[in-house]
Each structure stands twice: as structure tokens, then as C-alpha cells.
Amino acid sequence: MAGASAPGGESLEMLSGEVIDDDGTPMIQRAVAAWKTPLDALTCSQARLLVSQKMGLEWLAAPLAAFVLRYPDASATYFPGDLTLAALRAMRELLTIIPQPARAIANLDFAWLTENSDSDPEFLKDAEQTITKARILARGHA
């Protein structure tokens, strides 16, 4: 997410002052590695993991919104748009931190995601519910 992050090359660990122990599951180890990575060096996959865990949103929200609004269908880890879906799942928090960009994310056109006939029906149902919930939250926050 280079270019979309805050300048200075500081990590979330440095910005927050919170040191997280990396003893744990592989997912926790990946989250800790992302936590220690300078913001300007975070990969989309690392950002998706942090956002999905709602870690560091105070610092990630603005660059996340800038990236997602420009590249909503970017494939961060698993599938096109997975970073965007992570942002939608964190909508309540994003609305508190960056209300206008968060509402803009909720109002994106998601036809590219929900009209993919190759996707699993359960995945599509979950994606549509995630989008609907985020839009309801965004409308209520206006």
C-alpha cells in the first residue's frame, strides 16, 4: 500500500506504543509481523489481515480508504476485493475514524463482486450481507 500510507515509515507498534508478543498461532505471528512493518512498506495482504482483526485502524483507516476507493477489486490475499470486504466488515470503526471516506467505500458499486457467476453461492450471500450491513451503518452515521 505504498503511497497510500502515512509518511515517516513508522510501524503500528511505534505509533501505538504497543508491543505484541508473537508467540501463538501462525495467524498471530503474521499479524505481529504486520504490526512491526513500517506503514509505507505494508503489503495489501498485511493490511487486510490487520483490518480484518481491527488492529491499528486509527492509523490504517485513511490510507486504507484511499487504496480501496481507487482499487476496490484488488486481490490482497484470497480473492479480488478481499481488502474491500475487510474494510466493509470494519465499517462501524471506520465511520468513527474517517466518516466521509468510509461512507464512500460503502457506496461503491460492487456489481463486479456480487455478479461473479463463478463464485460460491455462500460466499456471494456473505458478501451481499456484508455490503448491505455496511451501507446501513453508513446511512445511519450520516
Side-chain angles (χ1 to χ4, degrees), residues 3 5-6 29 33 41 45 53 56 59 62 75 87 92 98 100 111 114 122 130 137 141:
S5 63
Q29 292 170 351
S45 183
Q53 298 302 310
W59 298 279
S75 180
R92 184 177 311 279
I98 51 162
Q100 290 179 330
T114 58
E122 286 300 313
T130 299
L137 286 169
H141 194 273

Side-chain angles (χ1 to χ4, degrees), residues 38-113:
L39 289 181
D40 59 1
L42 272 180
T43 66
C44 288
S45 183
Q46 288 175 313
R48 188 215 42 84
L49 176 59
L50 291 166
V51 171
S52 70
Q53 298 302 310
K54 299 179 182 171
M55 296 173 66
L57 290 178
E58 178 180 344
W59 298 279
L60 290 176
L64 168 73
F67 186 86
V68 164
L69 288 168
R70 187 166 182 182
Y71 308 105
D73 60 346
S75 180
T77 307
Y78 300 113
F79 53 85
D82 56 354
L83 181 59
T84 299
L85 281 177
L88 291 171
R89 289 185 181 107
M91 185 56 62
R92 184 177 311 279
E93 293 80 5
L94 294 179
L95 285 165
T96 301
I97 302 164
I98 51 162
Q100 290 179 330
R103 283 193 295 275
I105 292 170
N107 290 320
L108 286 169
D109 178 1
F110 292 102
W112 56 269
L113 177 66

Side-chain angles (χ1 to χ4, degrees), residues 12-14 16-22 32 35-36:
L12 292 170
E13 181 177 69
M14 293 168 64
S16 70
E18 292 182 44
V19 177
I20 301 173
D21 186 8
D22 66 356
V32 171
W35 188 254
K36 295 174 181 281

